[in-house]
Amino acid sequence: MNWRKALIFLSLYGSLHSGISAQVEEQTPSDSLRFSGQLSGWAQYAPDIQPEGWLGVRYIPQLNFEFPFNKSSQFDFEVSANIYGEAGFSPFDSLYSNGKIKPYRAWVRYSGSRMELRAGLQKINFGSALLFRPLMWFDSLNPRDPLQLTDGVWGLLFRYYFQNNTNLWFWSLYGNKNSKGLEVSRTHWRTPEVGGRIQLPVPRGEAAVSYHYRKADVTRPGGELPIQQNGIGENRIGLDIRLDVTVGLWAEASWTHLNKNMGVFTNQEMLTVGTDYTFAIGNGLSLTFEQFIYTSDQKAFAMDNTLSLSGLSLSYPLTLFDNLRTVVYYDWNNTEGYYFADWQRQLNHFTFHVMAYWNPDKVQMITQSLSSNRFAGKGIQLLVVWNH
């Protein structure tokens, strides 16, 4: 990584913040301009992969500005960057290093009493599921990640809220080169994506219908060389519902259909059903369970090529400052388990994590886009986070 660029970026960022603060302080309320950030550092030992050891640091500086027009409407924006560097090492082996500076969020928004219009690099996510998310269309949040980091998408989002808690979403995305969420292919270059969502109140809960359209670039096996198909229309339909009865109950489903025959990639269906409950044991034991089914085939809902996964999450507050959390996944097709445990301690602006995991040697979690070979096998990671 070019550390000189990082230092220059931080210097310019600090100067910009100081200059704007001095000018705005006389014109607007003191809380209209805010500078915050998150600094995290980690050390990881993973004996089953190479390199075995990792050291890393990440800083996310964030600048927010709010300008109220009146009591019911305002203009605001957010700008933040993701600055990170890491190094991997093994005994008697060469050092591997990696680093990058990239925008994390960069959006502007106008909001009224019942609506908001947001444009730029932003996070868009929705749905009822927690561990396996069929509606993870635009983000890559991993329930095992204590920082809940995810890249944003470039686009325009409009939301309107009715008095009965019904809300409408409309979005248009453009300029996102990489695959998003659970996408298996990239979006066709210079082609906008459009979609929407309606969320309705139902007895003891809420339900929603979502839709998204894009043109995808899909590679299909064909003979000795793959066949690249550009600009294939792709339609996604999502359904989700959540009910709060004695326990929390929810279901989330997604159907993705390509407008051209691309073999097993033509139709993809996902379904998650889940529940959660907090038991009156000690300080309160919270349990979340989800069952996930995935199928992909030339014909819709054929159910010939299926994947079945179960997920269980337990959380228990040991003290006012300490919390223990575990997440377990089981792959019924490959009869393999994924095990994760996290001890967290909170001290003022600092948070400490000690995480241990035991996964298969090759991670194959289709529902976790943040999973990578970095967390294959078994290992331990220490994470320190400072928020200011």
Side-chain angles (χ1 to χ4, degrees), residues 45-295:
Y45 175 65
D48 296 336
I49 64 174
Q50 294 295 326
E52 299 176 0
W54 287 89
L55 293 174
V57 63
R58 182 190 310 274
Y59 184 53
I60 301 179
Q62 179 176 313
L63 186 67
N64 291 85
F65 174 73
E66 296 179 359
F67 179 79
F69 292 107
N70 49 52
K71 293 182 179 180
S72 61
S73 64
Q74 72 171 22
F75 166 84
D76 65 331
F77 71 76
E78 177 177 308
V79 178
S80 60
N82 188 349
I83 307 169
Y84 67 91
E86 59 183 357
F89 53 90
S90 296
F92 312 106
D93 200 356
S94 59
L95 179 69
Y96 173 82
S97 62
N98 178 43
K100 197 171 186 179
I101 301 176
K102 61 180 182 179
Y104 189 62
R105 301 287 185 264
W107 52 258
V108 295
R109 175 175 57 184
Y110 173 78
S111 55
S113 60
R114 298 190 181 278
M115 58 78 65
E116 67 170 314
L117 179 64
R118 186 169 62 190
L121 181 61
Q122 56 188 293
K123 181 179 76 171
I124 302 178
N125 67 328
F126 44 78
S128 306
L130 301 173
L131 302 177
F132 306 111
R133 297 174 49 219
L135 294 180
M136 191 166 71
W137 290 353
F138 312 125
D139 68 273
S140 54
L141 292 171
N142 189 322
R144 295 172 292 185
D145 178 16
L147 300 181
Q148 290 295 279
L149 299 175
T150 178
D151 289 336
V153 292
W154 292 98
L156 183 70
L157 173 66
F158 173 80
R159 288 189 285 199
Y160 189 84
Y161 306 90
F162 294 88
Q163 289 185 344
N164 64 347
N165 290 328
T166 297
N167 55 81
L168 292 175
W169 303 40
F170 296 102
W171 60 76
S172 178
L173 310 181
Y174 185 80
N176 300 287
K177 298 180 181 179
N178 299 324
S179 299
K180 309 177 295 298
L182 298 178
E183 293 175 350
V184 297
S185 62
R186 297 183 178 184
T187 300
H188 186 53
W189 178 236
R190 293 184 179 178
T191 302
E193 310 172 56
V194 294
R197 172 180 172 87
I198 179 170
Q199 189 168 307
L200 304 167
V202 297
R204 301 205 174 189
E206 56 187 19
V209 180
S210 306
Y211 172 77
H212 184 71
Y213 175 81
R214 70 168 185 145
K215 288 190 175 181
D217 289 344
V218 182
T219 301
R220 178 182 63 182
E224 298 180 357
L225 298 174
I227 300 175
Q228 180 74 27
Q229 298 287 339
N230 296 326
I232 300 177
E234 179 189 89
N235 297 276
R236 299 183 213 164
I237 298 177
L239 303 172
D240 64 284
I241 183 172
R242 181 179 178 91
L243 304 174
D244 291 319
V245 287
T246 303
V247 298
L249 296 173
W250 61 84
E252 183 172 309
S254 175
W255 173 31
T256 301
H257 171 72
L258 293 173
N259 294 341
K260 181 178 290 188
N261 184 2
M262 297 300 293
V264 296
F265 296 108
T266 306
N267 291 279
Q268 301 173 63
E269 296 89 23
M270 304 182 195
L271 172 65
T272 293
V273 292
T275 183
D276 63 2
Y277 187 74
T278 299
F279 296 90
I281 300 176
N283 297 323
L285 176 65
S286 298
L287 177 149
T288 300
F289 175 81
E290 288 187 348
Q291 180 63 41
F292 173 79
I293 298 176
Y294 169 86
T295 181

